[in-house]
């Protein structure tokens, strides 16, 4: 009988919290130098990078640092209200984040990138929708999203 190793979370496969902290730190350096995104993010708090790293890490199976100490999914929705983000903003945000992930050599196996991209596509599209609303109709107790491997079911291991 074969010993099957447990399937790691996306968070674990990506490299844990150090990978997410570095990813969003380097990413927001790029954002602040970008003609399209800098106007949107120039007034972000000093903690913004870390909060986003904690939020995404938690969604992808990491510790509950965001939801237990920094906010909730409802509060994240509220932060986007009336920001009037566009598809141009969203696409540029995705482009810079994925370029940063490549530069930092986050896993690039098809299974991880498929799941990672799926979450980012979903999350950025929700952010654009919420940014064009003046109030949130969501239940304040809406749970944090949880994202897994999806159809592939785990990482590609040759």
């Amino acid at each position: 009988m074969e010993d099957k190793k447990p399937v790691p979370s996306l968070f674990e496969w990506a490299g844990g919290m150090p990978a997410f902290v570095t990813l969003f730190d380097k990413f927001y350096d790029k954002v602040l130098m970008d003609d399209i995104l800098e106007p949107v993010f120039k007034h972000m708090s000093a903690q913004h990078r870390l909060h986003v790293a904690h939020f995404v890490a938690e969604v992808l199976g990491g510790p509950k640092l965001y939801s237990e100490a920094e906010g909730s999914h409802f509060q994240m929705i509220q932060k986007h209200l009336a920001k009037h983000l566009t598809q141009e903003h969203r696409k540029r945000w995705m482009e810079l984040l994925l370029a940063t992930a490549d530069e930092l050599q986050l896993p690039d196996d098809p299974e991880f990138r498929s799941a990672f991209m799926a979450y980012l596509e979903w999350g950025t599209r929700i952010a654009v929708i919420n940014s064009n609303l003046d109030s949130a109709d969501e239940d304040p107790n809406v749970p944090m999203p949880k994202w897994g491997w999806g159809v592939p079911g785990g990482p590609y291991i040759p």
Side-chain angles (χ1 to χ4, degrees), residues 30 33 35 53 64 68 77 87 92 101 105 110 114-115 119 125 130 138:
K30 291 181 190 331
M33 295 176 12
D35 291 340
K64 295 181 177 184
E68 291 183 354
I77 291 168
Q87 285 299 319
R92 186 66 177 150
Q105 298 181 335
S114 172
Y119 169 67
R125 289 173 187 279
N130 289 328
E138 293 279 341

Side-chain angles (χ1 to χ4, degrees), residues 3-91:
D3 269 345
K4 274 191 112 174
K5 292 182 182 178
V7 175
S9 67
L10 295 169
F11 168 81
E12 292 165 331
W13 190 252
M17 194 58 73
F20 287 94
V21 170
T22 302
L23 174 65
F24 284 98
D25 194 42
K26 300 293 184 192
F27 164 69
Y28 280 110
D29 286 346
K30 291 181 190 331
V31 164
L32 291 176
M33 295 176 12
D34 187 77
D35 291 340
I36 295 169
L37 294 178
E38 186 270 344
V40 175
F41 290 95
K42 66 183 173 186
H43 298 298
M44 70 180 164
S45 72
Q47 295 79 33
H48 182 85
R49 299 165 186 239
L50 189 59
H51 290 322
V52 175
H54 289 169
F55 184 91
V56 173
E58 183 173 336
V59 169
L60 299 181
K64 295 181 177 184
L65 298 177
Y66 186 83
S67 64
E68 291 183 354
E70 298 167 3
S72 66
H73 189 239
F74 182 73
Q75 288 170 311
M76 182 62 81
I77 291 168
Q78 288 181 310
K79 291 178 189 302
H80 290 89
L81 294 175
K83 298 284 187 202
H84 303 290
L85 301 175
T86 65
Q87 285 299 319
E88 182 182 28
H89 292 125
R90 187 191 74 75
K91 289 175 184 176

